[in-house]
Amino acid sequence: MLRTVYLKSLRDRWLGAVIAVASLFAIAWMGLWAYADMGDEATDFISQMPEAYLSLLGITSDSGVAGLMLSNMFNFLGPFVIAGLGISMGAAAIAGEEAAGTMNVLGAMPRSRARLLRSKALAAATIVLVAGVAASASYVVAAALAGADVGSMDLAAATVHMLVVCLMFGSLSLALGAWTGNRALASGVGVGLVVLSFLASGLLPLFDGVASWAKASPWYWISGSQPMTTGIDWAPLVVLLAVTAVFVGTAWWGLVRRDLGAGAARAPILERLREDPRLGRIGAMLAGSASTRGIATKALTDLRPFLVVAGGAMLLQALVLGPLFSAMQRSAVNIGEVVDSMPESILAMVGFADFSTAEGWYFGELMTIVAPVAVAVIAINAGAALASEEKRRTVSVLATMPVSRRSLAIRKAAAIAVGSLVAGVALFAGVAGGSAIAGLGMDVAHIAAAGVLLAGLGTLLGSVAFVAGAVTGRVNVAIGASTGVAVLGWGINSFVPVNPDLADWARVSLFYYYAAGNPLEIGLTWWHLAVLVGVSAALVAVGVAAYSRRDLRG
């Protein structure tokens, strides 16, 4: 696999793609299994949905529960995951090699820059296409295992639409990375466009006068033309493929026109902010002080950018949600009735929250998706820090310190728990503050319970990254494994409880022990916290033992 740049790029990324496909398959299978066992009641409910809403989902009234579940997989989860793979590889293709200092090695090869770009681009396209096709094929297998009928749906057309859009997002990041040499910019713009495109395609059709503008959003063409029911709409796909070709051409132009970096040519953006006298304090706060008073202290200060950004965003949203709920209560809109009229699959994503109460409002708007994502960003980066030392080749410096490998690993793992606890405190402060500002009268002890359970969830996700990194020494494996566990756990806990007869199977998901029963309403369930902490401790113990016995890389 090291014979060519193309094969090496595939070798470096295949495991992440496998984890992504496996996670999507598991979510689809669990969801289809849960829906299929509900019988005619669910089918009748779907057939009675408004035509406009069915059109938004990209299905018809006779698509059944399988259509409802697969619309989520093709229009929401699947594209986010597959596009994420494309953006990650596109951003890293050129800019990643420059940031890692390996461009010198590639530049010394008797190959042109155009050939290097072609190999990298083909590898990214291969991963996206194979992962997308494999994911779609896995949905068919999942439907067969669940006994669901997908014969009326054109899954091949839905796959083609999804892949064309995902390739366009990946090519944009490729162009930005090749043109600027800035991996963070390339991936950030790509992810930002995905989010904006998703929101535009879903929200614009709801407003008269601007509905047609949704067609300008690439995400619209994943489901807007209803490929699962009407087949492939070639006209917009040709346009998107042309845009993709333009981005690839732009990447080539950017690559051949500039001097390439070799790891130290460009200071990180936070370092440049520090040097600005007006923004220096903010940049220093985000980057952290990089304390060297101890291994654990440095690991925690390295987390400061994630704590400030992810934790701060969660805190701010929690503060705003209280007054927003109070304002909606005074308006003529009954948010509870609006949400209750939505289909089960949509409500499953927000934990079947009762939006008519403050506790249900906060649970659905904050605790089901936003808070887990925030704590996952913090904890997974903390868990992968041990492997990062090997990637950066700084582990040899740590190894010269008068501490054992076991002690080094334990101190790194301590940052996972502390970082997750800080996220839990941010959740508590935000919800308690929002409740106090709006006069909602929420139980402070229950809010504290939600914060503690969020910290437990983060600790477990970080521990998965820790053990994967400790065993392999690879950051991408650590992040991929923990992200896969997070996505799979969220999907199981979201869709399996749709069917009361299968609800107990949600206990296999770590999210069950974080969110079951809505801790904002029932308070802390001690044995749920014990499961989160106990499994985390076991994973850390395995990781410490593996790290102590393995030859380190770098």
Side-chain angles (χ1 to χ4, degrees):
M1 296 295 283
L2 295 175
R3 288 185 176 183
T4 67
V5 173
Y6 170 77
L7 290 176
K8 182 181 184 302
S9 299
L10 293 183
R11 190 204 69 167
D12 291 343
R13 295 286 181 162
W14 72 270
L15 183 57
V18 169
I19 293 174
V21 172
S23 299
L24 290 173
F25 163 73
I27 293 172
W29 172 55
M30 297 294 284
L32 287 166
W33 178 41
Y35 282 127
D37 200 47
M38 295 177 68
D40 296 335
E41 180 180 353
T43 302
D44 293 341
F45 177 74
I46 295 170
S47 64
Q48 295 170 11
M49 286 183 181
E51 192 64 33
Y53 190 77
L54 290 171
S55 177
L56 189 62
L57 294 176
I59 60 176
T60 61
S61 58
D62 61 351
S63 295
V65 293
L68 189 60
M69 185 63 203
L70 290 181
S71 73
N72 283 310
M73 301 306 299
F74 276 106
N75 304 339
F76 177 60
L77 288 175
F80 268 111
V81 172
I82 303 301
L85 290 173
I87 290 172
S88 177
M89 290 194 68
I94 301 299
E97 300 288 355
E98 294 183 74
T102 52
M103 184 55 76
N104 284 343
V105 178
L106 293 177
M109 297 174 62
R111 301 289 187 272
S112 66
R113 290 187 181 184
R115 183 168 179 177
L116 169 63
L117 178 68
R118 184 169 65 248
S119 297
K120 289 283 191 177
L122 284 175
T126 300
I127 290 292
V128 169
L129 293 174
V130 172
V133 172
S136 298
S138 75
Y139 303 156
V140 178
V141 176
L145 293 175
D149 181 18
V150 296
S152 63
M153 289 171 283
D154 193 342
L155 301 188
T159 302
V160 171
H161 275 251
M162 178 187 69
L163 289 177
V164 169
V165 174
C166 291
L167 285 173
M168 194 221 72
F169 287 129
S171 67
L172 171 63
S173 292
L174 175 70
L176 288 172
W179 189 269
T180 66
N182 190 326
R183 180 177 182 177
L185 175 66
S187 59
V189 172
V191 171
L193 180 62
V194 167
V195 174
L196 289 176
S197 180
F198 169 74
L199 294 175
S201 66
L203 295 178
L204 290 180
L206 302 179
F207 300 95
D208 295 334
V210 296
S212 60
W213 284 96
K215 296 181 180 180
S217 165
W219 197 281
Y220 174 86
W221 299 107
I222 292 178
S223 61
S225 58
Q226 301 184 38
M228 276 202 295
T229 59
T230 62
I232 298 175
D233 186 356
W234 286 108
L237 296 190
V238 170
V239 173
L240 290 173
L241 288 173
V243 172
T244 300
V246 170
F247 284 146
V248 174
T250 303
W252 170 81
W253 185 22
L255 182 62
V256 299
R257 61 171 278 279
R258 66 180 178 88
D259 295 335
L260 303 183
R266 184 180 182 88
I269 185 171
L270 291 177
E271 291 296 331
R272 300 198 301 275
L273 288 175
R274 276 184 179 181
E275 296 172 0
D276 189 310
R278 295 166 298 180
L279 302 176
R281 290 185 178 181
I282 299 176
M285 179 184 69
L286 290 176
S289 60
S291 172
T292 56
R293 287 185 292 180
I295 295 173
T297 304
K298 184 180 184 303
L300 187 58
T301 55
D302 287 343
L303 277 182
R304 188 178 297 182
F306 305 105
L307 291 171
V308 173
V309 176
M314 179 174 57
L315 172 62
L316 179 61
Q317 179 171 343
L319 288 172
V320 172
L321 284 175
L324 181 59
F325 177 77
S326 182
M328 295 185 68
Q329 288 289 87
R330 294 192 299 268
S331 70
V333 179
N334 189 323
I335 184 64
E337 292 182 0
V338 173
V339 174
D340 289 342
S341 66
M342 292 182 178
E344 294 275 291
S345 65
I346 304 300
L347 291 177
M349 295 183 184
V350 293
F352 300 96
D354 180 6
F355 281 77
S356 63
T357 67
E359 292 79 7
W361 167 259
Y362 265 106
F363 183 73
E365 290 289 337
L366 184 68
M367 288 189 60
T368 53
I369 297 179
V370 175
V373 168
V375 79
V377 169
I378 295 168
I380 290 175
N381 277 281
L386 193 64
S388 296
E389 299 287 355
E390 297 183 62
K391 180 180 180 180
R392 296 195 301 263
R393 299 177 178 85
T394 54
V395 69
S396 57
V397 178
L398 290 178
T400 62
M401 299 182 67
V403 295
S404 65
R405 277 204 203 176
R406 179 175 178 275
S407 179
L408 167 63
I410 291 175
R411 295 180 192 188
K412 284 284 190 179
I416 302 172
V418 176
S420 299
L421 186 59
V422 171
V425 171
L427 177 69
F428 168 78
V431 176
S435 174
I437 293 171
L440 302 180
M442 297 173 64
D443 190 311
V444 176
H446 290 181
I447 299 174
V452 170
L453 288 170
L454 180 69
L457 174 68
T459 302
L460 182 48
L461 290 174
S463 298
V464 174
F466 177 83
V467 70
V471 170
T472 66
R474 299 186 179 278
V475 177
N476 58 339
V477 174
I479 294 177
S482 52
T483 302
V485 169
V487 172
L488 178 58
W490 177 84
I492 292 173
N493 190 61
S494 295
F495 295 110
V496 169
V498 167
N499 188 336
D501 296 334
L502 304 175
D504 287 343
W505 282 97
R507 296 174 186 268
V508 303
S509 166
L510 71 166
F511 277 79
Y512 172 84
Y513 302 96
Y514 153 71
N518 185 358
L520 291 174
E521 292 181 349
I522 66 173
L524 181 62
T525 304
W526 288 102
W527 75 274
H528 286 185
L529 179 62
V531 170
L532 294 174
V533 174
V535 175
S536 300
L539 290 174
V540 169
V542 172
V544 169
Y547 190 76
S548 300
R549 292 167 173 78
R550 180 174 59 82
D551 289 339
L552 304 185
R553 301 168 58 244

